[in-house]
Amino acid sequence: MVVLGVDGCRHGWVGVLWGDGATEVLVAPTIADLVAAAGDVEAVAIDIPIELPSDAPRTAEKLARGRLPGRASTVFNAPALTVLDQPDYHAANAANRAALGLGLSKQTWYLVPKIRDVHEWLATRPAVRVVEAHPEVCFAAMNGGVLVDGKTTPAGEAHRRRLLADHGLDVVAKPRRGVAVDDVLDAAATAWTARRLVRGEAERLPPEPRDQPSPAIWC
């Protein structure tokens, strides 16, 4: 089994390729380039909204925040689909309010180029299963509870490294140009979820709907 976990970074995207007990860190400017470099994988889990709402906020974020008491602020609301077509923050904020009744945070606006990159890639219908994952929710699932220490603190980094190792993910996470250590650790956490997905062990937030598909965060 070979899977790919993906997180954003200054360079573009960082991925952790995990298969047969070995890992490899990949970096690419676009999501299409990253997945192409990964080769044949069974699943991709990525830390970015991939199913954008049109007329109401997503339930997935609310449920993800519920898994992170004390650290719920690490989960940003997904922007409305119409935000991808806006030229600047002012227009995007207005469009988000019109569609969802919510303002658009600056943090989310800064993610829009990456959200657009993934949205356009998915429109090509890649021949691999792709799901959304949130690293902090993944780590909380590994840990059996939320991680109190932030990911950029020494204690938080050590805890995350230990959790990954305990779950069989021995990843070389070190600073490199355009990629921070926490970017690699986050990508590894989503790779853990991708493997759980293939095994049928991953949890969906919200649970699979009975009537129609809905946006979800997996862990």
Side-chain angles (χ1 to χ4, degrees):
M1 179 195 306
V2 182
V3 298
L4 180 68
V6 182
D7 189 50
C9 63
R10 290 192 304 276
H11 182 78
W13 299 98
V14 58
V16 170
L17 190 64
W18 187 20
D20 299 326
T23 62
E24 181 181 357
V25 177
L26 307 172
V27 181
T30 71
I31 187 64
D33 289 339
L34 185 75
V35 176
D40 188 17
V41 297
E42 295 187 50
V44 177
I46 182 169
D47 177 23
I48 207 76
I50 63 174
E51 295 177 273
L52 304 182
S54 297
D55 55 11
R58 307 193 316 175
T59 301
E61 280 87 5
K62 180 179 179 180
L63 296 176
R65 291 189 186 103
R67 299 295 180 93
L68 303 173
R71 293 188 55 76
S73 63
T74 62
V75 181
F76 300 152
N77 285 323
L81 181 60
T82 55
V83 165
L84 300 188
D85 299 323
Q86 306 309 313
D88 54 41
Y89 174 71
H90 179 75
N93 188 38
N96 208 68
R97 286 190 182 279
L100 308 182
L102 297 173
L104 186 75
S105 71
K106 282 289 184 69
Q107 294 96 327
T108 302
W109 171 245
Y110 295 143
L111 289 174
V112 165
K114 283 186 167 55
I115 295 172
R116 185 184 296 114
D117 183 26
V118 172
H119 181 77
E120 293 175 351
W121 172 66
L122 288 173
T124 68
R125 299 184 179 276
V128 61
R129 188 173 183 188
V130 183
V131 299
E132 178 182 341
H134 190 286
E136 288 299 293
V137 178
C138 299
F139 279 120
M142 290 184 211
N143 190 52
V146 64
L147 277 64
V148 176
D149 295 307
K151 63 183 182 179
T152 59
T153 66
E157 179 185 325
H159 194 177
R160 286 161 177 77
R161 286 180 181 273
R162 185 167 62 251
L163 283 171
L164 291 169
D166 288 346
H167 287 83
L169 250 165
D170 183 16
V171 60
V172 178
K174 59 183 180 181
R176 61 185 72 197
R177 186 177 181 182
V179 184
V181 168
D182 59 276
D183 297 331
V184 179
L185 297 179
D186 282 351
T190 64
W192 176 78
T193 289
R195 176 164 287 202
R196 280 164 53 85
L197 183 76
V198 174
R199 290 177 171 171
E201 300 168 352
E203 183 179 2
R204 187 185 194 275
L205 304 175
E208 192 68 45
R210 296 180 179 179
D211 49 355
Q212 58 183 2
S214 66
I217 292 172
W218 292 78
C219 62

